[in-house]
Amino acid sequence: MSGRPRTAIGTFGAINVINKGPKRHTAHTRFRDIDGRLREVEATSTSRNAAIALLKERLKARTGYGAGGLLHLSSPFGDLAELWLADLEMRDIVENTKNNYRDDLRLHVGPFFEHYTLGEITTGRVEAFLKAQQTISYSRAKHTRTLLNQLFGFALRHDVLTRNPVEGTSPLPKPKNAPQALTWPQITAIRAAAAAWRTGPDVKGPRPDGRVRDAVEVLLGTGMRPGEVLALRPADVLDRQMQSAGSPRRRMVVHVCGTVVTEKGKGTYRQDHPKTDASDRWLPVPEFAATVIRDRLATMRPEQAEWTLFHNRNGRPMTLHNFRRTFREFLDLAGLAGSGISPRWYRRTGATVLARGLGVDVASTHLGHTSAAITEGHYIEPDTLVDHTSAAVLQKTLRPGSTATDLLTRPTSPAEEAVLDEIDDDPGDGVGTAAITGEVA
């Protein structure tokens, strides 16, 4: 049955004007509200044109004006970005992750799409953008693609688009020389450089106390994020004597329950929760890293139980900036400057060893990529509930002087690549977007 087309949500019908006397004109129309109902809207003024203009202003201010919501196909990309940023503020994710998204939007995505309306952003235009990002770096292309998926997913949920224009774009080809894990010679060289750093007779100023050297060793032994290692406190360490095969043996587990972050206006502080719920976990510690932690604990007083193990001279958490700066000096001393190695490689190395030695599921759980975290109910005796097999594999492969390093030399499988890609996609280790994408040394 044909008839007059239904008024679209967020639009209005014909405007009629009634003359109610000298200098009194009323314009009225029917507006289809966001709930689908037609409602009469009117405005009165001193002339016909003034009444129509006032009515249109009232219609524009009405909730749902435009194609059914706050956004429509003719909306500029900037409107979508503004609404998405407001939604981002309410999401339960760490502030540094939000800052990374904001930086990507401000520096890379926004400048390219700012002159397009939402209806003009096609798969082809997104493809062109991603290819341009790919020429700069694979990492930047991945991060901007992730951001675009979030933006257009937001637009889909608001009924602006019927499909996500990122879908159908070409897969991002991963560079064949993309770094995976540290080699054993690289691990050995960095260890030697860390031990020798600023120890010569010509070194001026205070001698290093080994904080960064020790933090790097714990990073290697646990596969934690750098911010998680720097957030460890004595209160987070459980070190117990256990009976093993009739002989006493010490076993250490650490509770990953915080991370070190730096925020504008707040400075650097220990955040009392890690990146995600799955990241809150107990981890077994291999003996070579446990020895380092015990040595750090021996230098701290009981009243410092809430201090971080790797605090600075003022008792504050070490900043990720200072940690990375000193680590780069280790690389220079080891002859590895320009290699692209960063603290993130230690997390990749732990993931590689565990994935090849015990399987990708164990590696993912150990890294905090799944929800298989030990619950608070296990807190009383975590040493009996944490599986120490992963620590044994890390100890065998990565301890100083190890000769069983074959797990580092095998070809990477597709399943391992997925675990490593999740590490590369993780913006929650306190590293800003610029550092991740290679803009800042």
Side-chain angles (χ1 to χ4, degrees):
M1 184 176 177
S2 61
R4 189 169 57 182
R6 180 188 291 258
T7 303
I9 288 176
T11 63
F12 54 90
I15 294 177
N16 297 306
V17 180
I18 301 174
N19 186 348
K20 294 187 174 182
K23 295 186 178 181
R24 184 173 172 81
H25 296 76
T26 299
H28 64 94
T29 186
R30 293 202 301 171
F31 181 90
R32 191 162 181 226
D33 278 316
I34 199 167
D35 62 2
R37 295 187 177 188
L38 281 167
R39 291 183 173 89
E40 194 81 15
V41 183
E42 63 178 37
T44 300
S45 189
T46 57
S47 70
R48 174 186 176 86
N49 290 340
I52 292 174
L54 180 59
L55 176 63
K56 288 182 177 179
E57 287 300 316
R58 290 182 177 178
L59 292 170
K60 287 181 182 179
R62 208 168 173 86
T63 301
Y65 178 81
L70 297 174
L71 295 170
H72 43 87
L73 291 177
S74 60
S75 297
F77 176 81
D79 287 0
L80 170 62
E82 184 177 344
L83 289 172
W84 182 83
L85 285 171
D87 182 72
L88 178 68
E89 288 296 323
M90 297 183 289
R91 290 170 59 186
D92 187 20
I93 55 178
V94 297
E95 191 62 29
N96 270 356
T97 301
K98 293 180 181 179
N99 286 335
N100 291 335
Y101 286 140
R102 294 183 192 111
D103 288 345
D104 265 337
L105 182 59
R106 176 174 55 86
L107 296 172
H108 312 310
V109 175
F112 185 91
F113 290 102
E114 64 183 345
H115 300 298
Y116 291 114
T117 65
L118 297 183
E120 293 171 336
I121 300 177
T122 62
T123 297
R125 289 190 169 115
V126 174
E127 172 90 356
F129 169 73
L130 293 176
K131 285 190 177 299
Q133 299 299 296
Q134 176 79 20
T135 61
I136 298 169
S137 78
Y138 170 73
S139 178
R140 181 188 286 188
K142 281 208 313 182
H143 283 90
T144 52
R145 181 174 183 159
T146 298
L147 178 59
L148 284 172
N149 266 318
Q150 294 205 32
L151 283 160
F152 294 128
F154 181 85
L156 281 170
R157 293 192 297 274
H158 284 72
D159 298 323
V160 184
L161 303 176
T162 58
R163 64 182 298 273
N164 183 344
V166 179
E167 295 177 3
T169 57
S170 303
L172 296 174
K174 190 170 185 178
K176 292 183 178 180
N177 62 345
Q180 300 297 321
L182 292 164
T183 65
W184 183 249
Q186 288 171 337
I187 293 172
T188 303
I190 297 171
R191 270 181 169 143
W197 182 68
R198 290 182 55 81
T199 59
D202 299 329
V203 173
K204 297 180 180 179
R207 300 286 171 169
D209 63 2
R211 286 174 299 163
V212 177
R213 175 201 64 206
D214 290 352
V216 168
E217 200 71 0
V218 175
L219 200 64
L220 179 64
T222 62
M224 287 192 280
R225 298 175 178 92
E228 293 171 344
V229 170
L230 298 184
L232 281 177
R233 306 164 299 176
D236 303 326
V237 180
L238 187 57
D239 192 17
R240 289 190 174 182
Q241 199 84 356
M242 306 291 293
Q243 287 296 124
S244 178
S247 60
R249 181 179 180 183
R250 295 183 79 176
R251 278 186 169 178
M252 179 183 289
V253 293
V254 294
H255 188 194
V256 183
C257 57
T259 188
V260 168
V261 296
T262 301
E263 291 185 30
K264 292 179 180 178
K266 288 187 177 181
T268 297
Y269 64 96
R270 183 188 184 277
Q271 179 179 272
D272 61 3
H273 60 86
K275 178 175 181 276
T276 65
D277 290 340
S279 300
D280 191 322
R281 63 206 188 278
W282 284 92
L283 288 182
V285 182
E287 186 59 26
F288 73 87
T291 299
V292 170
I293 292 176
R294 291 184 190 116
D295 289 344
R296 302 303 306 182
L297 288 172
T299 67
M300 299 181 69
R301 301 185 302 275
E303 62 268 24
Q304 297 174 333
E306 295 298 325
W307 288 26
T308 56
L309 291 177
F310 305 105
H311 54 269
N312 61 24
R313 300 181 190 278
N314 299 319
R316 306 278 298 172
M318 184 192 307
T319 68
L320 283 156
H321 171 77
N322 287 341
F323 175 74
R324 290 193 296 268
R325 181 185 62 192
T326 302
F327 182 77
R328 287 195 295 270
E329 293 183 18
F330 292 171
L331 295 179
D332 290 341
L333 191 58
L336 294 170
S339 63
I341 293 173
S342 71
R344 189 185 291 258
W345 284 41
Y346 282 79
R347 189 160 161 82
R348 289 195 191 109
T349 302
T352 299
V353 169
L354 292 176
R356 294 174 183 176
L358 297 173
V360 293
D361 289 341
V362 173
S364 292
T365 301
H366 188 93
L367 295 170
H369 285 172
T370 73
S371 59
I374 295 178
T375 62
E376 190 67 20
H378 296 162
Y379 182 85
I380 297 174
E381 288 194 0
D383 52 333
T384 65
L385 297 167
V386 176
D387 187 348
H388 284 259
T389 308
S390 58
V393 172
L394 292 167
Q395 171 70 13
K396 179 181 178 181
T397 303
L398 301 175
R399 71 185 188 277
S402 175
T403 58
T405 59
D406 60 295
L407 294 179
L408 291 173
T409 59
R410 296 181 189 174
T412 304
S413 69
E416 292 167 30
E417 293 242 2
V419 175
L420 297 175
D421 280 347
E422 193 164 353
I423 293 173
D424 291 341
D425 287 339
D426 182 2
D429 63 356
V431 181
T433 300
I436 292 173
T437 55
E439 290 181 68
V440 178

